[in-house]
Amino acid sequence: MIAVLKPSATPEQIEKLISWLEGRGLKVHLSKGDFYTILGLIGDTKQIDPELIEGLEMVDSVKRISEPYKSANRKFHPHDSVIEAGGLRIGGKNFQIIAGPCSVESKDQILTIAKSVQASGASILRGGAFKPRTSPYDFQGMRSDGIELLLETRRLTGMPIVTEIMNTNHISLFEDVDIIQVGARNMQNFELLKELGMTKKPVLLKRGLANTLLELLMSAEYIMAGGNPNVILCERGIRTFEANTRSTLDLSAVPMLKEMSHLPVVVDPSHASGMARLVKPMALAAVAAGAHGLMIEVHNDPPNALCDGAQSLTPEQFAELADKVRKVREAVAQ
Ligand code: PEP
Ligand code: MN
């Protein structure tokens, strides 16, 4: 971290600041120019709040040199992380398609969809049991019964399952789930992230609606700092001024996150666009951008889905998408 001091900073003020910083275990390198004095702070600067220093009258600006995320940082882990979940691998050269309905609605619904998406190339089944709905009057999910149906569907199809957790109190219900999803609305639910950090469960961490990539990585850091390295990042669109799509899919997040971090990056074009007809082009673009996987909402009867019907593909549309994904993967691998 570097602190640039104003020309008006007095030697007494500088000395006081240096001894305060040294008191926090940092080494301070002082460099005096004609106008500005620069302090180079060496050591564990994580515990220093740059805004606290920047707020001092004598300080012109403060800049972090090293990123505040360590475990998720590509610099300290140059190779891609490969996460194992339900006997599958995701990350590095391993690509997986997660598909399924927004919500588990019945035994017949989840099993029918699972079989169809599996037949066309999906390797992991999704399905919400606890649903984060904007309106309390909307379908809230089948809750623990939904998890039971997912587990039963896994027994019948062999597909690993991913489903969303919203509350630390529910963690025991997720014991047999292969991948626990933290949805966009809970990306900064730090208590939930800490609890998940104490497990070894793979966590699919979705980017918040109004969160930066750095904030996403800091949330991954919460899970990893607790001892759980199994984090999969998911770009699912962010809220911008654009109103024609549900969210704006930030595809530059894919190569950027891969530069910043070694964690796998999955893209969810369904929640990003909110419209079934946009899912295929954006999924293909995500694959071309280097995503390690896709998450696609599929429903056997989209007009009557209890949640997110408008963005759900039919099994036939999904089969077509999966086929095109294979072709794009081949093309970009060359
Ligand atoms: C979901 O995947 O079901 C979901 C609610 O997604 P998001 O958190 O990205 O909105
Ligand atoms: Mn949904």
Side-chain angles (χ1 to χ4, degrees):
M1 195 184 282
I2 284 175
V4 180
L5 309 184
K6 286 183 185 155
S8 57
T10 64
E12 294 73 32
Q13 284 175 321
I14 297 175
E15 201 158 309
K16 211 167 149 199
L17 178 59
I18 291 177
S19 63
W20 183 81
L21 290 163
E22 284 175 345
R24 270 160 181 70
L26 297 175
K27 284 209 180 90
V28 182
H29 181 269
L30 183 133
S31 155
K32 236 176 163 355
D34 284 346
F35 297 103
Y36 288 95
T37 299
I38 294 173
L39 301 183
L41 315 185
I42 303 150
D44 182 14
T45 54
K46 267 205 309 295
Q47 27 112 14
I48 302 283
D49 178 0
E51 281 169 17
L52 193 70
I53 303 176
E54 206 155 21
L56 299 173
E57 178 57 35
M58 63 185 286
V59 175
D60 184 72
S61 60
V62 176
K63 190 171 165 31
R64 266 198 195 281
I65 301 297
S66 64
E67 298 85 5
Y69 54 100
K70 298 279 178 254
S71 305
N73 199 325
R74 170 82 74 182
K75 270 189 199 149
F76 308 112
H77 188 299
H79 303 296
D80 282 357
S81 271
V82 175
I83 311 295
E84 303 207 6
L88 294 175
R89 312 180 94 204
I90 184 156
K93 297 210 175 316
N94 309 277
F95 181 89
Q96 306 294 347
I97 304 184
I98 304 166
C102 181
S103 313
V104 181
E105 297 173 11
S106 70
K107 181 176 170 176
D108 189 47
Q109 176 246 18
I110 191 70
L111 186 60
T112 306
I113 298 172
K115 284 182 175 163
S116 67
V117 295
Q118 186 177 37
S120 30
S123 48
I124 301 173
L125 177 67
R126 66 151 283 145
F130 291 91
K131 293 302 307 173
R133 304 304 300 276
T134 300
S135 166
Y137 308 117
D138 286 339
F139 177 57
Q140 301 288 306
M142 291 184 72
R143 304 173 69 85
S144 54
D145 290 344
I147 296 187
E148 281 309 315
L149 291 181
L150 285 167
L151 294 172
E152 193 175 340
T153 309
R154 182 181 65 188
R155 277 193 290 279
L156 295 168
T157 60
M159 289 181 96
I161 53 174
V162 53
T163 192
E164 177 169 355
I165 192 167
M166 296 205 295
N167 189 325
T168 48
N169 294 335
H170 296 157
I171 216 153
S172 60
L173 296 171
F174 288 72
E175 209 164 311
D176 296 324
V177 165
D178 301 287
I179 305 174
I180 301 180
Q181 174 172 321
V182 173
R185 290 153 193 82
N186 274 306
M187 189 203 90
Q188 288 191 315
N189 181 340
F190 300 118
E191 290 301 316
L192 181 60
L193 301 177
K194 282 187 217 169
E195 284 281 335
L196 292 169
M198 288 191 273
T199 74
K200 285 280 181 263
K201 277 275 176 225
V203 176
L204 181 86
L205 179 64
K206 291 186 130 189
R207 180 180 183 182
L209 277 75
N211 287 113
T212 63
L213 298 183
L214 177 59
E215 286 164 343
L216 172 62
L217 290 175
M218 290 312 293
S219 290
E221 195 72 18
Y222 261 93
I223 300 169
M224 300 175 88
N228 183 357
N230 302 310
V231 181
I232 302 161
L233 305 170
C234 180
E235 165 58 42
R236 48 79 71 214
I238 47 173
R239 187 162 283 184
T240 67
F241 44 78
E242 181 50 62
N244 280 291
T245 45
R246 186 176 176 180
S247 297
T248 298
L249 184 59
D250 176 11
L251 276 186
S252 55
V254 177
M256 195 68 234
L257 283 171
K258 286 171 74 176
E259 210 175 288
M260 297 164 85
S261 175
H262 51 88
L263 296 172
V265 183
V266 163
V267 172
D268 171 354
S270 305
H271 288 92
S273 63
M275 274 177 272
R277 66 180 186 279
L278 297 190
V279 171
K280 188 167 91 180
M282 297 320 289
L284 299 180
V287 174
H292 294 108
L294 291 170
M295 176 180 257
I296 311 286
E297 281 191 344
V298 179
H299 200 282
N300 53 341
D301 184 12
N304 290 307
L306 294 182
C307 181
D308 285 349
Q311 68 196 33
S312 299
L313 299 187
T314 61
E316 296 72 32
Q317 289 168 329
F318 175 75
E320 204 185 303
L321 177 149
D323 186 50
K324 287 261 163 49
V325 164
R326 274 187 287 275
K327 291 182 176 133
V328 173
R329 287 195 64 224
E330 275 167 31
V332 292
Q334 280 159 15

